Amino acid sequence: ASYENLKELIHPDDRIMHQEAVGNALHGKAKHDFDYRIICPDGQEKVLHSKGEIVRDENGTPIIMRGITQDINERKQAEEELNKYRDHLEEMVAKRTKELEQKSLHLEESNIALKVLLQQRVEDKRDIGEKVLLNIEKLVLPYLDKLKARMAEFDEYAYLEAVESNLKEIIAP
């Protein structure tokens, strides 16, 4: 097929790029190495890779264009599938990362709340201990002292001292 027939097969969006690449090779600016699309007679679109150079005579006049063109349609489709799969994986990773960040934030908030509750529990325990101590010292021990002062029998007095001693031992810590 001639170059003119090939130009008709080139996808309209790729014709200028193809023409510039071949023109650059003809003017000695570069070898050509590029991908372009063609539209087959059956309407199917294919991607081709063309690589070549211009062969010149001793005067530098172009004689022939030498090169190779390959159908890389399957490779391009595989690359597109891989890119779609990569994009999907990146979306999944981003989604999972966001979920993990939210869970981490929730755990941090829960940890702070638990620390606050634990601190409150320690303070409540201390307050209760202080109240028990204060109540025993104000409400129980004074009456034990009064009872001891009125007790005549030694056994009853010993019982009161045992109660007082045990109460003081309970409130000591």
Side-chain angles (χ1 to χ4, degrees):
S2 72
Y3 181 69
E4 289 302 317
N5 291 339
L6 177 64
K7 282 184 8 181
E8 293 174 16
L9 296 176
I10 296 173
H11 191 286
D13 294 343
D14 293 351
R15 286 181 183 157
I16 293 173
M17 178 267 308
H18 185 274
Q19 189 176 359
E20 287 175 355
V22 172
N24 286 337
L26 282 170
H27 293 92
K29 293 181 181 175
K31 294 180 178 184
H32 71 271
D33 188 359
F34 57 93
D35 296 343
Y36 61 98
R37 295 170 291 169
I38 63 166
I39 300 174
C40 298
D42 64 0
Q44 183 182 3
E45 188 176 298
K46 291 192 175 196
V47 180
L48 302 179
H49 177 77
S50 183
K51 185 174 188 172
E53 63 186 355
I54 302 295
V55 178
R56 301 175 187 284
D57 66 13
E58 60 276 350
N59 297 327
T61 306
I63 301 172
I64 191 169
M65 182 182 290
R66 174 176 57 191
I68 186 166
T69 299
Q70 292 177 294
D71 180 349
I72 60 168
N73 206 51
E74 287 181 19
R75 185 185 86 195
K76 285 293 188 179
Q77 288 174 347
E79 287 174 357
E80 287 177 19
E81 286 297 316
L82 283 173
N83 286 336
K84 286 178 187 177
Y85 185 68
R86 185 198 69 231
D87 292 344
H88 177 68
L89 284 176
E90 286 177 358
E91 286 175 18
M92 288 173 52
V93 167
K95 181 180 177 183
R96 186 65 179 146
T97 299
K98 186 175 181 178
E99 288 172 2
L100 290 173
E101 287 172 350
Q102 289 173 343
K103 286 182 181 182
S104 177
L105 180 62
H106 178 70
L107 286 173
E108 287 176 22
E109 290 170 351
S110 295
N111 195 23
I112 290 169
L114 287 172
K115 284 180 181 179
V116 168
L117 288 173
L118 183 60
Q119 181 62 34
Q120 185 62 44
R121 184 174 181 262
V122 168
E123 290 174 10
D124 289 347
K125 188 176 176 182
R126 187 190 66 235
D127 290 347
I128 289 171
E130 288 175 0
K131 286 179 183 176
V132 167
L133 175 66
L134 194 61
N135 285 336
I136 289 175
E137 288 178 347
K138 286 186 175 181
L139 302 175
V140 177
L141 292 180
Y143 292 104
L144 285 176
D145 288 338
K146 289 179 182 178
L147 278 174
K148 285 191 320 188
R150 292 186 174 180
M151 286 286 169
E153 285 189 34
F154 180 73
D155 287 341
E156 292 169 346
Y157 187 79
Y159 292 139
L160 283 176
E161 279 188 336
V163 169
E164 181 183 32
S165 173
N166 287 338
L167 282 173
K168 287 182 178 179
E169 192 169 315
I170 288 172
I171 64 174

